[in-house]
Amino acid sequence: MPREIRINAFDMNCVGHIQQGLWTHPRDQSTRYTDISYWTDYARRLEAGLFDGIFFADVIGVYDVLGGSPDAAVKNAVQVPVNDPMMLIPAMASVTQHLGFGVTANLTYEQPFQFARRMSTLDHLTRGRIGWNIVTGYLDSAARAAGFTQQMAHDDRYDMADEFMSLVTALWEGSWDDDAVIRDKARGIYADAAKVRVIHHAGKQYKVDAMHLSEPSPQRTPVLYQAGASERGTRFAATHAECVFMNGQKQPAVKQAVQELRQAAAQQGRAASDIKVFLGATIVTGATEQEAQDKFEDYKRYANSEAALVHAAASLGIDFYKYDIDEPIETKSNAIQSNVAAMTRAAGPQWTRRKLLDQLVMGSRQPPWVGSGEAIARKMIEWCDAADVDGFNLSRTVVPECFDDFIAHVVPQLQERGAFKTSYQSGTLRGKLFGRDRRASTSA
Amino acid sequence: MPREIRINAFDMNCVGHIQQGLWTHPRDQSTRYTDISYWTDYARRLEAGLFDGIFFADVIGVYDVLGGSPDAAVKNAVQVPVNDPMMLIPAMASVTQHLGFGVTANLTYEQPFQFARRMSTLDHLTRGRIGWNIVTGYLDSAARAAGFTQQMAHDDRYDMADEFMSLVTALWEGSWDDDAVIRDKARGIYADAAKVRVIHHAGKQYKVDAMHLSEPSPQRTPVLYQAGASERGTRFAATHAECVFMNGQKQPAVKQAVQELRQAAAQQGRAASDIKVFLGATIVTGATEQEAQDKFEDYKRYANSEAALVHAAASLGIDFYKYDIDEPIETKSNAIQSNVAAMTRAAGPQWTRRKLLDQLVMGSRQPPWVGSGEAIARKMIEWCDAADVDGFNLSRTVVPECFDDFIAHVVPQLQERGAFKTSYQSGTLRGKLFGRDRRASTSA
């Protein structure tokens, strides 16, 4: 019996997300991102297809590394303009019962006390369907937006993140006892003040002396997502994360990363199964192999390599335009360490812009899986078995048809093989993923 | 022909808002505040009744002034627990077309760059129905939650607010030209980078060097609400506010305050009509005078004076328990200056706790207007004419029946007198209020 594969849609409150240029496809609707009915329809569609959740990326800043200018990003809508993803969730939650929501929030630029209340509010309104993707940022442009001249050094960002986590965890888990809220109209007692306490925190970065303003929500702590894959990022994930996103095309490398992550979690006193690993994937599928290939050929015509280069330059922290097209690129940066490491692993020190451009198959460094529903389903099951992966984050290509195609062609094949649910369990997001509503206690 | 009266529901994402204790009424549903369908039903109800908007109060902190402890606030649900009001708006917007949304956000504890994006996102998702009630806070408990030992002095808070306003205005109005977004699939151009610019701000409190991340939204700047009524607060409102909330029971005093505000606006080069004034009101009505009186008697039995005292103590910044019940109270504080001034005006220096308790008719210092729909409608029209008020913010009593009653009994009487619309205009919130989508330029 294969494991139950988890499927999230991976999106962002913007036009161009991962597969750059596809917004220009005549059927693509991502330019409707400011329209609330676009998102409520989207949510209904995913829930009808039994998706586990939708996961929202976010970035505070613009991709101005390539050529030292944001112009190409603006022209091609490479994750700019980008609206706040959190604001989509109440609307999408109001038309669904089961769909989970993961939202990226950069803790570097959040006030922990307000942030904790915002997430508690979402956990209430979604009835426990909220998750938080913890990021610390990697863009100097974001730091400049917040009044700094540049971002903090990579490992310092994680130290700050550890303190932030410890503080918000105290607010979520420690301020109100489970039985603090009585809600007794007859006696006129809403809550028992003896069971509500002030959280005192005086750390290096934050100082708080207050009770949490929200009463306990279904999950209290949102399901914690994390994508850091550097050594320091893995340690952070092993301590805090319940779901981890990975990218990678080579199974042995992904397998090893998953293994190391689960081992690191075990060293923190957690079970290896306390972490669900989601692999990033881009899928082009159809009723037949031919239909999928035809679709792929069609989509590719709208892909935009310049836009993909803008994104890659920012993720890697490297301005490729400073190098001739065949000149080896130095892989040192203060951006996403795991991206840089992956690039070096894949190409060695002789990495060049030309090699990178060759890889940008459909507007991104993530090559799509193209095939019939059956072929995709088999590949997914094979990956989960071989690399110990729990599920997939599906990047959008042409929306919403990419999700319609997945639901029509891949989901039934997965179900037939016992690898995908045929109806939702009731309960919270954490309940569905781990069989418990509350976060397992960690050393944090 | 009387002026068109504007009506907002006044609420908060919590149990006990203004009329303390009424949550214990058997028909009151405010304990459902964590349920998203409570809010979507609420929005539909208000829109069916042609309300102009719903206005959300908020507070970051707890009412711990009375007796130096938050216990009575927690026990009686006096604005605690309190969830983030902003998260209600996308859900409520998704089921309505016309209802406006005003949301309170305390700029002292917001990052201006993120905040500007959040509001732009809401303006997009609501299609231009968002308003922002600018507050600077008045609670030391909020300052402690944010890592300070106490809040800033009253006038310094407004200086900081002026700088915040100047920065977010630049982001909203100055970063993207009207024609920057081209959205041309055929040419593959989303936006013209030459028409998007970085905002450079280096002030006393904030430093930002970034382009606004959101493309222009229908209103760009949300409709600006303000409630400050101190001398410094009036100057701030005269400069920035488009809608101003006032409280007051005595018509001559309100009339004078409105006059001063409009004069102050004129001194800033604005038209007197550039500001809409909303008076806070609590209404208990019914099909007949008798029914309204009976309802009032019923409601009063659930009101809670201790809880009202908790709220009053925090608003005034005075711990009444430090005084004997008949001992004159010193009216000096660092909290809401206009509240303190109003108290002194009303009672002179011989203000005592007993006098205050006598005023707490139905769980608040705001005595209700009780009467038939016709009597209430006449009183509203008379107030607007006499005190130059544009509309009312209706505090909730027993929800949702208080709004049902208003819609059933008062709205038709106002309509009959030509003082209330019979259908919505289309367009943005600002368009409905002022006949223009964009904010009139000010010196800010």
Side-chain angles (χ1 to χ4, degrees):
Chain A
M1 188 74 179
R3 76 177 83 191
E4 181 188 338
I5 295 180
R6 309 289 180 166
I7 302 289
N8 290 326
F10 184 34
D11 210 326
M12 192 160 177
N13 196 353
C14 68
V15 175
H17 183 204
I18 302 288
Q19 308 292 338
Q20 300 303 334
L22 293 194
W23 71 271
T24 61
H25 191 286
R27 291 194 303 274
D28 185 85
Q29 294 188 30
S30 57
T31 54
R32 288 182 56 216
Y33 78 104
T34 59
D35 178 351
I36 204 164
S37 68
Y38 172 74
W39 295 105
T40 49
D41 291 348
Y42 196 152
R44 286 192 190 96
R45 184 184 306 267
L46 295 180
E47 186 156 290
L50 299 177
F51 269 57
D52 291 277
I54 180 164
F55 180 87
F56 285 109
D58 189 29
V59 69
I60 305 291
V62 292
Y63 296 154
D64 58 5
V65 173
L66 190 72
S69 155
D71 288 3
V74 169
K75 177 189 168 203
N76 296 297
V78 184
Q79 302 191 358
V80 67
V82 57
N83 279 343
D84 191 322
M86 223 178 262
M87 299 297 143
L88 303 175
I89 293 172
M92 296 175 86
S94 75
V95 297
T96 53
Q97 296 291 319
H98 299 290
L99 192 68
F101 299 96
V103 65
T104 299
N106 185 329
L107 55 80
T108 312
Y109 308 118
E110 294 286 345
Q111 298 260 17
F113 187 73
Q114 325 276 82
F115 177 76
R117 184 175 74 141
R118 200 169 288 140
M119 293 307 281
S120 293
T121 303
L122 286 176
D123 199 48
H124 277 297
L125 293 175
T126 62
R127 291 193 200 262
R129 292 187 280 150
I130 195 76
W132 168 35
N133 179 35
I134 310 164
V135 302
T136 60
Y138 61 95
L139 294 175
D140 286 338
S141 63
R144 287 194 302 272
F148 307 103
T149 51
Q150 60 177 29
Q151 56 176 332
M152 296 166 73
H154 179 270
D155 285 12
D156 290 350
R157 299 201 293 268
Y158 277 107
D159 291 343
M160 183 176 179
D162 273 326
E163 188 188 333
F164 191 102
M165 291 311 299
S166 147
L167 171 51
V168 293
T169 299
L171 289 164
W172 285 325
E173 301 287 341
S175 190
W176 294 66
D177 287 351
D178 285 340
D179 57 352
V181 176
I182 294 166
R183 215 178 277 114
D184 186 333
K185 288 191 173 198
R187 290 192 295 152
I189 302 177
Y190 191 77
D192 180 350
K195 294 179 175 171
V196 182
R197 63 195 61 79
V198 167
I199 300 300
H200 303 283
H201 174 99
K204 196 175 154 195
Q205 301 280 351
Y206 303 106
K207 187 166 168 297
V208 165
D209 192 16
M211 55 179 277
H212 188 41
L213 293 176
S214 298
E215 62 180 276
S217 64
Q219 301 184 122
R220 288 187 179 241
T221 298
V223 173
L224 299 177
Y225 292 72
Q226 221 261 330
S230 64
E231 192 187 323
R232 185 66 182 86
T234 301
R235 182 147 52 90
F236 185 87
T239 307
H240 302 289
E242 301 173 88
C243 297
V244 169
F245 284 172
M246 287 198 185
N247 280 300
Q249 302 303 324
K250 304 207 168 153
Q251 215 172 69
V254 171
K255 181 181 178 173
Q256 190 189 333
V258 174
Q259 208 165 33
E260 284 170 8
L261 175 67
R262 296 202 197 276
Q263 278 165 2
Q267 278 164 15
Q268 305 286 333
R270 304 174 68 194
S273 61
D274 280 353
I275 296 184
K276 299 276 183 211
V277 177
F278 289 80
L279 187 71
T282 305
I283 286 167
V284 180
T285 188
T288 62
E289 186 70 26
Q290 189 58 50
E291 195 182 295
Q293 291 294 341
D294 290 348
K295 199 160 268 184
F296 179 45
E297 291 306 318
D298 175 43
Y299 288 2
K300 272 198 288 187
R301 289 187 292 135
Y302 298 92
N304 183 322
S305 292
E306 184 199 19
L309 213 56
V310 166
H311 190 185
S315 303
L316 295 164
I318 298 168
D319 180 2
F320 304 116
Y321 285 170
K322 286 191 176 159
Y323 299 82
D324 287 336
I325 192 155
D326 289 312
E327 184 184 350
I329 288 165
E330 275 205 66
T331 49
K332 277 195 184 136
S333 95
N334 190 23
I336 304 178
Q337 299 292 316
S338 54
N339 284 345
V340 179
M343 177 163 145
T344 312
R345 259 202 315 276
Q350 293 307 306
W351 193 260
T352 64
R353 175 148 52 101
R354 189 186 304 276
K355 283 191 189 172
L356 181 59
L357 283 165
D358 286 346
Q359 282 197 0
L360 301 174
V361 182
M362 199 173 71
S364 128
R365 289 187 302 137
Q366 183 173 79
W369 296 358
V370 182
S372 68
E374 187 183 342
I376 299 293
R378 284 184 191 281
K379 184 163 179 174
M380 287 184 141
I381 293 168
E382 195 272 324
W383 259 89
C384 289
D385 289 344
D388 196 14
V389 160
D390 299 288
F392 298 88
N393 264 358
L394 303 186
S395 297
R396 58 172 158 94
T397 56
V398 172
V399 270
E401 72 177 37
C402 61
F403 296 116
D404 290 340
D405 284 343
F406 186 84
I407 292 164
H409 306 304
V410 182
V411 164
Q413 296 289 334
L414 289 171
Q415 287 171 327
E416 211 168 273
R417 288 162 180 77
F420 197 69
K421 60 186 160 317
T422 53
S423 66
Y424 284 107
Q425 269 181 57
S426 61
T428 65
L429 177 58
R430 185 177 282 112
K432 289 176 176 120
L433 291 171
F434 299 103
R436 56 173 181 268
D437 290 338
R438 299 281 296 279
R439 190 177 167 207
S441 57
T442 68
S443 50
Chain B
M1 189 71 179
R3 76 178 82 190
E4 181 188 338
I5 295 180
R6 309 290 179 163
I7 302 289
N8 291 326
F10 184 33
D11 209 326
M12 193 163 178
N13 196 354
C14 67
V15 175
H17 183 204
I18 302 289
Q19 307 293 337
Q20 301 302 334
L22 293 195
W23 71 271
T24 61
H25 191 286
R27 292 195 302 274
D28 185 85
Q29 294 188 31
S30 57
T31 55
R32 287 182 56 215
Y33 78 104
T34 59
D35 178 351
I36 204 164
S37 68
Y38 171 75
W39 295 104
T40 49
D41 291 348
Y42 196 151
R44 286 192 189 96
R45 184 184 305 265
L46 294 180
E47 186 156 290
L50 299 177
F51 269 57
D52 290 276
I54 180 164
F55 180 86
F56 285 109
D58 190 27
V59 68
I60 305 291
V62 293
Y63 296 154
D64 58 4
V65 174
L66 190 72
S69 156
D71 288 2
V74 169
K75 178 189 167 203
N76 295 298
V78 184
Q79 301 191 358
V80 67
V82 56
N83 279 343
D84 191 323
M86 222 178 261
M87 299 298 141
L88 302 176
I89 292 171
M92 295 174 88
S94 74
V95 298
T96 53
Q97 296 290 321
H98 299 291
L99 191 69
F101 299 96
V103 65
T104 299
N106 185 330
L107 55 81
T108 312
Y109 308 119
E110 294 285 346
Q111 298 259 15
F113 187 73
Q114 325 276 82
F115 177 76
R117 183 176 74 140
R118 201 170 288 141
M119 293 306 280
S120 292
T121 303
L122 286 175
D123 199 47
H124 276 296
L125 294 175
T126 62
R127 291 192 200 263
R129 292 187 279 149
I130 195 75
W132 169 34
N133 179 35
I134 309 163
V135 302
T136 59
Y138 60 95
L139 294 174
D140 287 337
S141 64
R144 287 194 302 273
F148 307 103
T149 50
Q150 62 176 29
Q151 56 174 333
M152 297 166 74
H154 179 269
D155 285 12
D156 291 348
R157 300 201 292 268
Y158 278 105
D159 290 344
M160 182 176 179
D162 274 326
E163 189 188 334
F164 190 102
M165 291 311 300
S166 149
L167 171 50
V168 293
T169 299
L171 289 165
W172 285 323
E173 302 287 341
S175 189
W176 295 66
D177 286 351
D178 284 341
D179 56 354
V181 176
I182 295 166
R183 214 177 279 114
D184 186 332
K185 287 191 172 197
R187 290 192 296 149
I189 301 177
Y190 190 78
D192 181 350
K195 294 178 175 174
V196 182
R197 64 195 61 79
V198 166
I199 299 300
H200 302 283
H201 175 98
K204 196 175 155 196
Q205 300 281 350
Y206 304 105
K207 186 165 169 296
V208 165
D209 192 17
M211 55 179 278
H212 188 41
L213 293 177
S214 298
E215 61 180 279
S217 64
Q219 301 184 121
R220 288 188 177 241
T221 299
V223 173
L224 299 177
Y225 292 72
Q226 222 261 328
S230 65
E231 192 187 322
R232 184 66 182 86
T234 300
R235 181 147 53 90
F236 185 87
T239 307
H240 302 288
E242 301 173 270
C243 298
V244 169
F245 284 172
M246 287 196 183
N247 279 299
Q249 302 303 322
K250 304 206 169 153
Q251 214 172 71
V254 171
K255 181 181 178 173
Q256 190 189 333
V258 174
Q259 208 166 32
E260 285 170 8
L261 175 68
R262 296 202 197 274
Q263 279 166 1
Q267 280 164 14
Q268 304 287 332
R270 304 174 67 192
S273 61
D274 280 352
I275 296 184
K276 298 276 183 213
V277 177
F278 289 81
L279 187 70
T282 305
I283 286 166
V284 180
T285 188
T288 62
E289 186 69 27
Q290 189 58 50
E291 196 182 295
Q293 291 295 342
D294 290 348
K295 201 162 268 185
F296 179 45
E297 292 306 317
D298 176 44
Y299 288 2
K300 273 198 288 188
R301 288 186 293 134
Y302 298 92
N304 183 322
S305 293
E306 184 199 20
L309 214 55
V310 166
H311 191 186
S315 303
L316 296 163
I318 298 168
D319 180 2
F320 305 115
Y321 285 171
K322 286 191 176 158
Y323 300 82
D324 286 337
I325 192 155
D326 290 312
E327 184 183 351
I329 288 165
E330 276 206 66
T331 50
K332 276 192 187 139
S333 95
N334 191 23
I336 304 179
Q337 299 293 313
S338 54
N339 283 345
V340 178
M343 178 164 145
T344 312
R345 260 201 315 277
Q350 293 306 304
W351 193 261
T352 64
R353 175 149 50 103
R354 189 186 304 276
K355 283 191 188 171
L356 181 58
L357 282 165
D358 286 347
Q359 282 197 1
L360 301 174
V361 181
M362 200 173 69
S364 127
R365 288 187 304 136
Q366 182 173 79
W369 295 359
V370 182
S372 68
E374 187 183 343
I376 299 291
R378 284 184 191 282
K379 184 163 178 173
M380 286 184 142
I381 293 167
E382 196 273 324
W383 259 89
C384 289
D385 289 345
D388 196 14
V389 161
D390 299 288
F392 298 87
N393 264 357
L394 304 186
S395 297
R396 59 173 157 94
T397 56
V398 172
V399 269
E401 74 177 36
C402 60
F403 297 115
D404 291 339
D405 284 342
F406 186 86
I407 292 163
H409 307 302
V410 182
V411 164
Q413 296 288 334
L414 289 172
Q415 287 170 327
E416 210 168 275
R417 287 162 180 78
F420 197 69
K421 61 187 160 315
T422 53
S423 66
Y424 283 107
Q425 269 181 57
S426 62
T428 66
L429 177 59
R430 185 177 282 111
K432 290 177 176 119
L433 290 170
F434 299 102
R436 57 175 181 266
D437 290 338
R438 299 279 297 276
R439 190 178 167 206
S441 58
T442 68
S443 52

